[in-house]
Amino acid sequence: MARGEHTRKWLWRWKKNPLRRRDDIVEAWIVLAVWGIVALGGVSAGLVTALAGDEMFARQRAERQSVAAVLLNDVPRTVTALGTTTDHRLASVRWTTPSGSARTGRTQVSSGLKAGAEITVWQDGQGRLALAPPSSSTAAVESGFLGATAALALTGIVFGAGAAVRYRLDRRRIDGWGVEWDLVGPRWSHRTG
């Protein structure tokens, strides 16, 4: 197929044609709107989500700080049913907050450690235990993943809505053809007898 023929077929809804129906024009605008929203909205949603994620991770890196803690009980290695060992387990630790008060809590620590071992834990601005903030490179990857997910989610919603509207238009066209056939069909059918 020549390139010009493909372009003509692709743009048939936009050209003047005595067979073009009002529904064809509506469908053409719907298709254009869907692609426009996907292109502009998807990029916007992706960028906004990625930037928000990056800001959140940067805030976590700024507010969380590492502190030295003491393990309060032994953390044995656990062998799973498949014969592998788990690397981390929940254990009790004691640490000192920036204000100087001693606190205890439970957090994930490496398995195989004995009570009294010094470990590093992370705390938030209020002195509560928190997960370690992601590094800059990990945060960039996670922000990019969140942005791509937001863009794909918007794309799916927009394509789904466009498909639903086009389905309704198709049903309306088929119903219109049925009504027209009921009017014209009897003139074409020659009954003998």
Side-chain angles (χ1 to χ4, degrees), residues 15-36:
K15 295 185 178 194
K16 282 223 176 247
N17 183 336
L19 298 177
R20 184 179 67 178
R21 297 160 293 197
R22 184 175 164 270
D23 289 348
D24 295 331
I25 297 169
V26 170
E27 184 176 18
W29 281 105
I30 289 169
V31 169
L32 182 66
V34 164
W35 281 106

Side-chain angles (χ1 to χ4, degrees), residues 20-190:
R20 184 179 67 178
R21 297 160 293 197
R22 184 175 164 270
D23 289 348
D24 295 331
I25 297 169
V26 170
E27 184 176 18
W29 281 105
I30 289 169
V31 169
L32 182 66
V34 164
W35 281 106
I37 292 170
V38 164
L40 298 176
V43 169
S44 299
L47 286 175
V48 166
T49 304
L51 290 174
D54 203 32
E55 286 177 20
M56 179 189 66
F57 294 134
R59 191 171 50 249
Q60 285 179 357
R61 283 192 303 276
E63 113 179 346
R64 293 181 184 176
Q65 58 186 351
S66 62
V67 293
V70 176
L71 192 60
L72 297 179
N73 49 10
D74 292 342
V75 184
R77 289 200 184 276
T78 304
V79 178
T80 63
L82 298 175
T84 60
T85 60
T86 57
D87 292 342
H88 291 84
R89 295 201 48 196
L90 199 60
S92 297
V93 294
R94 182 178 55 242
W95 74 100
T96 305
T97 64
S99 63
S101 61
R103 290 206 178 164
T104 59
R106 295 178 62 80
T107 189
Q108 292 282 335
V109 297
S110 298
S111 59
L113 296 175
K114 301 287 183 196
E118 287 198 17
I119 58 170
T120 301
V121 296
W122 290 86
Q123 65 180 359
D124 61 13
Q126 287 80 30
R128 297 179 301 227
L129 287 176
L131 295 174
S135 65
S136 297
S137 59
T138 303
V141 170
E142 288 183 22
S143 296
F145 178 75
L146 290 172
T149 302
L152 289 174
L154 179 75
T155 298
I157 291 169
V158 170
F159 273 138
V165 172
R166 289 182 70 195
Y167 174 78
R168 293 292 303 149
L169 285 172
D170 285 343
R171 295 302 317 157
R172 202 163 100 182
R173 283 189 284 243
I174 290 170
D175 292 343
W177 288 338
V179 168
E180 289 178 22
W181 183 251
D182 289 342
L183 296 172
V184 176
R187 287 189 237 156
W188 286 13
S189 60
H190 299 290

